[in-house]
Amino acid sequence: MSNLIVHGGTPLRGRIVPSANKNAVLPILCATLLTAEPVRLNGIPEITDVKKIVEVFRRLGSDVNVDFTTGILDVHHKNTHFDPASDRLPEEMRSSIMLVPGLLARFHAARIEDDVKGCTLGAREIDPHVEVFQRFGSTVARNDDSLTVRVDGGLRANDHWTDYASVTTTENFVLCAALAQGTSTLMNAASEPHVQEFCQFMLMLGARVEGLGTSRLTIHGVDKLGGGTFTFAEDFHEIVTFLALGAITGGDVRVKNSHPEQFPLIDRTFAKFGVQIIHEDGWSRHVCDGPLKVKEPFTRNILQKVEAAPWPYLPVDLLPIFVALGVKAEGSMLFWNKVYDGAMGWTSELSKFGAHAFMSDPHRVVTFGGKPLAPAEVESPYIIRVAIALLMVAASIPGRSVIRNANPVRRAHPHFAENIGKLGVKVDWVEGD
C-alpha cells in the first residue's frame, strides 16, 4: 500500500502539461490487437494499467517497445498467440475486458476473468459486454474462475440498443464491429471525449465509423485494419484536477488544453463555486474573486447542485473533485451521482479534516462548506479521483496530512506527486502497511 504525505497550505502556482487520458489510452492499446501492422502511440503515460497490458502483449508473443521518458510505445502483433485454457488476462482492471474483441477476431476465442473490476464504484456488471459478444455471434460458457468466449466463422454484424450509455460497452461494440461481416449500428452509445478519441484512432487504422460524438454509431465492417502513428490528447480529467487544485489552494495554475470546446458545462460547474475558467492560446486558467463561495440559486427553496451522469452531463469521474471544492467553499451544495451506487461513501474521511458532509443516500451528498479544517490522516477507497479529492483538501490546509491507500492515483496520473511539487506543494509517496 502506498500513502501520500501532503504538506498543505501553499498556493499552487505555475504551468502544467497534462498526461493522456487513461480512458482513451487503454481501449486504444486493446484495439491494436485488431491489426497485424505496426502501430506507434505518442504520449503514452507511465501508469500501472498500461504496464499491465504491455506485459500481457509480451506474454502473448507481441513485439512491444515502450519508452516512458519519451512517451513513445511501438507495438506489432505479428507473432501473437493465445490459448484460452492457459493465457490469463489482467485481473482487477476493468479495461482488460476490451482485449476480448481483438482475441476473438484473431483466435476466435477469449476469456473473461471472474475478478475483472476497476475502481470500487459499486456494482459494475459485465453482462452488457457479454451481450455484445453474443450479438456478434459468440458463445459464452462459464468456468470455475472465468468465462470462455468463442466464435465460429468470424464475427457477424448486428444492430444493438444498450440499456445505458456505457463507455466500455460502446468501445467493445466498435471493436467487434470493425472487422465484422456487414454493417452494425449501436443506439444509446456513449459519447465522452475519450470515446471520441478512441474512435479517431479506429478511423486511423482504417475502420469505417460514423456518428462520432453522438448516441448513434454506425460501423461498416472491413476485411482488415492497418497501422500508423497516433498522438494522444490531454486528459480533460487532469486539466480539471489541476485547475481545481489551483482554486482550492488560492493559487494560479495554467494548464495546457487543446480542446476547450469540451468545457462549457465544466466551466459552468466551476462557476457555482465562484471560480471563473478562462481559455486562451491553448491554455486554461482559473480566476477567483476572493475565497470560494457557493453561488446561490435563484430558486430559493432548493440547494445549489452538481449533477453528474454520462456525457454530455458533467462526467461522474469529476464529481469528487467538485466535492472537494464544496467542503472548502462557503455555503451548501448538493452532489448527485446518477450512475454509480457506491461512489459517494467516503464522507466519513472528509469529516476527519473537519469538513461537514452528509450522505443522503448512495447517490447523493450534501456539503456544508466554509468550516474550519485541520490536517488529518485519511483512508482513500479504491477510486482514483476520490484519492485526488482527499489530496486536494489536504493541500488546502496548512500542515501535514496523510492519504492512506492512494495507489489508485497511479492508475491514471503519472508523476502526479512530482507535478504538484513543481507547482509548489510538497507531496511524497511513502510505502506503508
Side-chain angles (χ1 to χ4, degrees):
M1 179 177 70
S2 296
N3 304 326
L4 277 170
I5 311 300
V6 184
H7 303 272
T10 302
L12 273 72
R13 300 185 186 280
R15 293 192 174 213
I16 200 77
V17 177
S19 63
N21 189 329
K22 172 184 79 77
N23 294 327
V25 171
L26 299 181
I28 284 172
L29 266 179
C30 294
T32 64
L33 268 177
L34 291 171
T35 178
E37 299 299 321
V39 174
R40 168 166 286 191
L41 301 176
N42 292 321
I44 201 80
E46 188 177 2
I47 56 177
T48 53
D49 286 8
V50 166
K51 293 177 179 179
K52 288 180 181 179
I53 292 182
V54 166
E55 182 57 32
V56 170
F57 287 166
R58 287 172 174 160
R59 289 203 308 267
L60 299 182
S62 300
D63 294 333
V64 187
N65 294 300
V66 59
D67 184 343
F68 289 117
T69 303
T70 61
I72 296 175
L73 183 146
D74 291 301
V75 60
H76 196 180
H77 298 292
K78 59 181 178 180
N79 297 315
T80 307
H81 53 76
F82 178 75
D83 182 352
S86 58
D87 291 323
R88 297 182 67 88
L89 301 183
E91 299 183 44
E92 298 186 356
M93 186 177 73
R94 188 166 179 79
S95 56
S96 66
I97 203 167
M98 289 183 289
L99 292 167
V100 171
L103 295 174
L104 288 176
R106 278 177 169 266
F107 307 106
H108 307 293
R111 61 183 284 156
I112 303 171
E113 310 300 337
D114 275 357
D115 201 21
V116 170
K117 61 184 180 182
C119 293
T120 52
L121 296 166
R124 303 185 74 182
E125 56 185 343
I126 64 170
D127 290 69
H129 301 276
V130 172
E131 186 176 27
V132 165
F133 303 145
Q134 290 173 326
R135 291 190 68 84
F136 280 95
S138 300
T139 59
V140 181
R142 185 180 296 279
N143 309 313
D144 291 339
D145 60 350
S146 64
L147 301 176
T148 300
V149 187
R150 298 185 183 276
V151 63
D152 295 323
L155 297 167
R156 298 183 293 278
N158 77 97
D159 296 335
H160 188 43
W161 193 316
T162 60
D163 292 344
Y164 60 95
S166 162
V167 167
T168 50
T169 304
T170 297
E171 290 162 344
N172 261 336
F173 186 93
V174 175
L175 289 168
C176 288
L179 294 176
Q181 303 168 22
T183 297
S184 302
T185 302
L186 179 65
M187 288 296 296
N188 203 16
S191 58
E192 277 78 356
H194 38 279
V195 177
Q196 297 177 47
E197 189 172 3
F198 159 76
C199 288
Q200 291 289 351
F201 174 78
M202 295 298 294
L203 290 172
M204 187 207 74
L205 293 185
R208 298 175 59 196
V209 184
E210 300 171 358
L212 272 68
T214 75
S215 60
R216 176 190 171 99
L217 292 177
T218 301
I219 304 97
H220 306 280
V222 297
D223 293 334
K224 66 177 182 178
L225 297 174
T229 299
F230 187 83
T231 300
F232 292 107
E234 303 93 4
D235 179 7
F236 73 96
H237 298 106
E238 195 162 300
I239 295 170
V240 172
T241 297
F242 282 113
L243 290 172
L245 272 163
I248 201 170
T249 62
D252 181 12
V253 176
R254 302 183 182 222
V255 191
K256 190 174 186 301
N257 183 1
S258 301
H259 294 283
E261 73 277 2
Q262 299 171 351
F263 275 70
L265 181 55
I266 293 172
D267 294 347
R268 286 170 51 207
T269 304
F270 269 111
K272 293 179 180 181
F273 302 89
V275 181
Q276 181 185 5
I277 304 298
I278 298 174
H279 308 284
E280 55 188 6
D281 301 325
W283 294 80
S284 298
R285 60 186 176 94
H286 62 89
V287 176
C288 301
D289 185 15
L292 299 179
K293 185 175 182 179
V294 174
K295 182 180 179 181
E296 183 179 347
F298 287 103
T299 308
R300 293 186 178 276
N301 63 331
I302 67 169
L303 290 176
Q304 183 66 273
K305 63 182 182 294
V306 175
E307 300 180 37
W311 192 271
Y313 266 82
L314 183 80
V316 292
D317 285 348
L318 291 178
L319 200 60
I321 304 302
F322 290 105
V323 171
L325 292 181
V327 303
K328 191 72 175 179
E330 180 185 342
S332 301
M333 180 75 78
L334 169 65
F335 298 89
W336 191 356
N337 186 324
K338 295 186 172 183
V339 178
Y340 299 123
D341 59 4
M344 305 293 278
W346 50 286
T347 53
S348 59
E349 301 304 312
L350 289 171
S351 67
K352 295 176 182 178
F353 290 114
H356 290 202
F358 173 71
M359 186 173 178
S360 307
D361 56 48
H363 292 272
R364 292 180 294 178
V365 162
V366 179
T367 58
F368 305 89
K371 309 300 182 183
L373 303 177
E377 180 171 323
V378 298
E379 182 87 17
S380 173
Y382 196 74
I383 303 175
I384 294 167
R385 263 157 284 276
V386 170
I388 292 175
L390 293 171
L391 181 149
M392 285 175 54
V393 177
S396 73
I397 305 169
R400 180 182 182 274
S401 294
V402 180
I403 316 298
R404 293 176 56 82
N405 193 29
N407 306 62
V409 173
R410 288 172 165 158
R411 291 189 55 222
H413 301 289
H415 314 299
F416 191 72
E418 295 86 341
N419 285 334
I420 294 177
K422 293 175 183 177
L423 297 175
V425 174
K426 186 180 179 184
V427 178
D428 299 311
W429 283 105
V430 176
E431 299 305 316
D433 297 329

